[in-house]
């Protein structure tokens, strides 16, 4: 879909754009609140200060997108690809980002995520959590050896 067709459909009140290819388009400062972009390709797009409040971005490709200052409050972003995206000063309060993929992503506070990860946790954090679970299990198992009737 080209940008002209997108805006024509938007102007007549359409808001379901799931699966569309709008890669590389400039949607800066456009009010797209409540729009359905699930599964859409917005890679390389410019969405600076775009209002996406309450939008559905599940499974969307936003790799390389510039979202500086965008309003992503209460947005559904499960499994969204944010590799190489710029999220500087994004407001995503209340957004659902479970399974979102971050790599070389500039976060809202300016921090750069340099290792691939999902859920906003680094690989190191996953590793630390797994180590703690294994250590806890070993302690529990060792404590139970002498108390067979309790284990």
């Amino acid at each position: 879909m080209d940008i002209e067709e997108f805006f024509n459909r938007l102007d007549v009140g359409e808001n379901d754009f799931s699966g569309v290819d709008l890669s590389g388009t400039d949607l800066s400062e456009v009010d797209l609140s409540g729009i359905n972009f699930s599964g859409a390709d917005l890679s390389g797009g410019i969405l600076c200060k775009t209002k996406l409040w309450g939008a559905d971005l599940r499974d969307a490709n936003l790799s390389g997108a510039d979202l500086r200052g965008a309003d992503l409050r209460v947005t559904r972003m499960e499994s969204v690809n944010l590799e190489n995206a710029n999220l500087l000063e994004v407001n995503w309060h209340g957004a659902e980002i479970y399974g979102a993929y971050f790599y070389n992503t500039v976060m809202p506070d300016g921090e750069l995520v340099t290792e691939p990860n999902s859920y906003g946790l680094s690989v190191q954090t996953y590793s630390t959590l797994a180590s703690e679970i294994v250590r806890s299990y070993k302690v529990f198992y060792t404590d139970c050896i002498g108390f067979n009737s309790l284990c």
Side-chain angles (χ1 to χ4, degrees), residues 73-139:
R73 290 175 294 160
V74 201
T75 301
R76 297 196 62 187
M77 299 177 69
E78 297 100 314
S79 300
V80 68
N81 180 355
L82 292 164
E83 181 176 353
N84 296 313
N86 188 344
L87 305 175
L88 189 63
E89 298 180 1
V90 161
N91 181 352
W92 59 5
H93 181 76
E96 297 174 19
I97 60 170
Y98 312 110
Y101 180 73
F102 301 92
Y103 179 59
N104 287 332
T105 305
V106 178
M107 300 304 279
D109 63 359
E111 179 186 352
L112 178 65
V113 176
T114 57
E115 294 185 25
N117 67 81
S118 295
Y119 299 99
L121 295 176
S122 67
V123 172
Q124 182 179 6
T125 303
Y126 283 128
S127 199
T128 302
L129 289 172
S131 296
E132 285 298 315
I133 291 168
V134 169
R135 189 173 62 76
S136 296
Y137 176 77
K138 285 180 181 176
V139 169

Side-chain angles (χ1 to χ4, degrees), residues 2-23:
D2 66 18
I3 194 69
E4 186 177 332
E5 179 185 352
F6 170 74
F7 280 118
N8 286 339
R9 290 170 60 181
L10 191 64
D11 286 343
V12 296
E14 188 171 338
N15 74 343
D16 185 359
F17 294 94
S18 54
V20 299
D21 182 353
L22 290 171
S23 55

